[in-house]
Each structure stands twice: as structure tokens, then as C-alpha cells.
Amino acid sequence: MLAHSMKASLSAVSSIATAGVPRSNRLRATSFRPRTAGRRMSHCRAALTRPEGSKLDWYEDGNEATLVLPISEDTKKKNIAIKFLPTRVKFEVDGTPQIGGHLDFPCDPDDSLWEIDEDEEGERIVRLMLGKADPGIMWELLFEDEQKNLKEITEKVFFDIAIDEEPAGRIEMGLYGKTVPRTVENFFMLSKGTLGKSPDSGVELTYKGSTFHRIIPGFMCQGGDITAGDGTGGESIYDDGNFEDESFVLKHEEEGLLSMANAGPDTNNSQFFITTVPTPHLDNKHVVFGKVLSGMDVVKKMEACGSNGGLNGEPTKKVVIADCGEIIEPEVA
């Protein structure tokens, strides 16, 4: 528990002092790394708008976000009006607004500029380069219309919960596989429990039989330590040790969200937590990857077994994932 107390201060929900256990090939060895590997990410949420059907596109390039809009041969510089403000961009072509809304993370007007140029196909374009006021922040999404499918559920799983060996009910959860596919795959496969034993630790790579070792009422229920059971262990399905923070685009804005527990940046393994209230102070530190679809009453039963003893939150009763698995939807005829 000494390791636990040393790590606890790293985050309000971190309780894992994860051993650097080497992995051998286990499950589809992957070389996937997000474009943000090694950087802490933040998200310009519900920021800018563009007209429906607009060809205005953008990409991030280090300290800048670059916006590109095709224009006709007849469009002259005098027909274009652009003004950079810290949280807004005024952009009109022939009197028609091209951008609305605002930026949650400001740009630096003195480090922003625009030009008329040609793209690789020789087509005329307007290029806007927004200098970031904080270069350390990644703008994952810039326009509201990019956010429509963030919470699309791609897989569903269940936990059957037992409290002091008595059945407490089932929790059904939906996972956001399009937004954080690597994080979801890890949780999904551990919920299915079909991988067998880890060649390294020798434990079954499944949540079945594991406990919720840390429950703090009015905060969250944390579990998933499939190796040690007390918050000092955990093991992912991947062969490259702890895996990276895939994205912070989803926020801890309501109860019943699934999010990864960690011991600092890029230290995800099998440990996770379920929020019982909104926890915005965890945004940009923990990866949200799903939500409770049904069985929140069961989560509340679990929460009632918690304690407020500092960051420890040792449950007053034993809360176990008695069974778990994939929810397979019946085929529609």
C-alpha cells in the first residue's frame, strides 16, 4: 500500500503503481500510436461552425491549426475579409460568412496569418494559419459537425455484480469504439475474457472474478486490477506494456461514464472507473471510453459500499465482477 499512497497524489483517481512488466506477443501485436503520442491533449469542444456542405477543411501542424478553403478563379483578395481574434475568427468570402462560433482554447492573433495559394492539384485556395496561444494544447476537433459521432456505441458488454457473494444485478455498458478504438479494444477483450492466460503474469486476461477495490461515494467506483486486486497492479491486452492516453476528446460530464484509471500520462492498463457524478476535474487526464446503458441502480448499490477514507476508498463490502461478457444484439430480419 506504500506504492499506492505514493501514486495517489498524481491524480484524483489514480491508484495504480504499475509494475513495468515486459510483454511478449499476446494479441495482435500492434504498432498503432496516435498522432499525439507523447503529448497531453486537450480539445476545442463545440468550437467553430461552418456552413452545411462547406468545403472548408483543416489540419493541425505543430504550433498552428491550418484551415483551407477552395475559391474560384474570380475571387480576388479584396473579396476576402479575415480578422483573427483570440477566441473567434471572422472569415467572409464575397460577403458570405465561412466560420462562426468560438474557440475554447485561444489563438494568438499576432502569430496568425492568411494567404491565397494553390493546392497540390493547382486549385486556388485560401489558407488560414491560426497560431496557438498555448502550443502544448492539441486541437483534436475544431468544428461542431466533427463531434456528431463521438459517442457512437460500437460494442456492448455486461458485468454481473456480486456484493459479499450475493447477486446485486447486471450493468450493461456501451463503448465508443470509433473515438477511442485502442482503449475500447482493451476493455472489450478483457470483458469478453476469451484470451486465456497472460504469458507474462500467468493471470487470466479477464475482468471475471476481479473486484472494485476503490469506491468513493459521490465520486466513482474503481476496479479492473486483474493481477493484484488492490490497485497496485493491472495488465492490458497489448504487448507493449502500459498503453498511451488515446484521446481526451470525451469529457467526464455525467454519471455512469467509463474512464481509464492511471498513474500519470500514458500508463493505462486494465484498471478503470465508473463515475457516479460529473467529474470535470478529471478531464484531459483520464480517457473516457464508454457509458453505463442500464444498471445504474447497481452502480449505486456498489457506491453505497464505499468509504470516504482519504483517497483510499476501501470498500466496506466485497464488490466482485462475478461474470462478464459481450452483449450480442439479435439480428434484425
Side-chain angles (χ1 to χ4, degrees):
M1 297 305 292
L2 176 62
H4 168 274
S5 62
M6 291 174 64
K7 290 292 184 181
S9 62
L10 288 174
S11 164
V13 76
S14 300
S15 70
I16 38 179
T18 316
V21 180
R23 265 52 169 185
S24 56
N25 290 336
R26 178 180 304 142
L27 171 72
R28 289 186 297 172
T30 175
S31 60
F32 169 86
R33 295 286 294 182
R35 61 177 180 161
T36 54
R39 296 180 60 193
R40 299 300 282 173
M41 296 177 286
S42 293
H43 161 51
C44 287
R45 169 168 261 193
L48 301 180
T49 60
R50 52 190 167 186
E52 185 175 355
S54 172
K55 294 183 179 180
L56 178 64
D57 201 1
W58 77 282
Y59 59 91
E60 188 192 48
D61 184 15
N63 296 339
E64 298 176 340
T66 300
L67 291 79
V68 177
L69 178 70
I71 57 174
S72 69
E73 293 292 334
D74 298 331
T75 301
K76 307 301 181 184
K77 189 172 183 178
K78 65 180 181 180
N79 303 120
I80 300 172
I82 297 176
K83 184 175 183 179
F84 298 103
L85 301 169
T87 58
R88 287 188 297 146
V89 178
K90 294 184 177 180
F91 178 23
E92 295 183 357
V93 176
D94 294 324
T96 302
Q98 302 297 317
I99 295 178
H102 69 281
L103 292 165
D104 283 353
F105 295 103
C107 70
D108 181 354
D110 293 332
D111 196 31
S112 302
L113 54 92
W114 68 277
E115 63 183 0
I116 296 177
D117 199 1
E118 292 184 352
D119 62 16
E120 294 179 352
E121 284 73 40
E123 299 295 327
R124 295 183 79 231
I125 59 171
V126 178
R127 181 184 292 115
L128 290 73
M129 289 153 281
L130 304 182
K132 297 179 181 178
D134 184 349
I137 292 178
M138 164 157 281
W139 295 356
E140 288 191 277
L141 301 179
L142 202 59
F143 292 97
E144 286 183 349
D145 57 25
E146 297 176 292
Q147 305 178 51
K148 293 179 180 178
N149 299 321
L150 287 179
K151 295 183 180 180
E152 181 177 343
I153 292 172
T154 56
E155 286 85 25
K156 295 180 180 180
V157 297
F158 71 87
F159 287 167
D160 286 335
I161 300 297
I163 299 175
D164 278 353
E165 300 184 353
E166 292 294 326
R170 172 169 289 194
I171 304 170
E172 296 188 352
M173 297 156 285
L175 310 180
Y176 306 138
K178 288 188 176 180
T179 303
V180 281
R182 185 165 163 85
T183 307
V184 163
E185 181 181 32
N186 182 66
F187 187 84
F188 179 64
M189 295 306 297
L190 290 170
S191 297
K192 285 183 67 175
T194 56
L195 297 178
K197 289 186 177 181
S198 162
D200 300 319
S201 67
V203 303
E204 292 285 342
L205 291 171
T206 178
Y207 286 131
K208 184 175 181 178
S210 66
T211 65
F212 281 84
H213 62 273
R214 185 168 177 246
I215 300 175
I216 300 178
F219 186 16
M220 57 89 221
C221 304
Q222 181 176 338
D225 183 351
I226 63 175
T227 59
D230 60 3
T232 63
E235 184 169 1
S236 80
I237 65 173
Y238 301 116
D239 64 353
D240 48 0
N242 295 333
F243 64 98
E244 67 283 335
D245 297 318
E246 193 170 6
S247 172
F248 297 122
V249 65
L250 296 165
K251 305 303 179 183
H252 300 78
E253 57 194 1
E254 59 182 314
E255 68 175 18
L257 293 177
L258 299 171
S259 186
M260 294 300 294
N262 63 47
D266 301 325
T267 59
N268 301 288
N269 54 32
S270 55
Q271 290 200 49
F272 65 94
F273 60 95
I274 304 174
T275 62
T276 59
V277 295
T279 55
H281 60 289
L282 301 181
D283 291 348
N284 302 323
K285 298 177 183 134
H286 298 267
V287 177
V288 175
F289 61 90
K291 70 174 296 182
V292 173
L293 301 177
S294 65
M296 198 62 203
D297 59 320
V298 180
V299 176
K300 293 299 183 181
K301 292 178 186 177
M302 295 162 50
E303 184 183 26
C305 300
S307 63
N308 286 304
L311 287 176
N312 186 24
E314 184 175 352
T316 58
K317 297 181 179 180
K318 190 172 184 179
V319 181
V320 177
I321 301 173
D323 198 8
C324 56
E326 177 184 9
I327 297 174
I328 301 176
E329 303 285 357
E331 293 186 8
V332 179

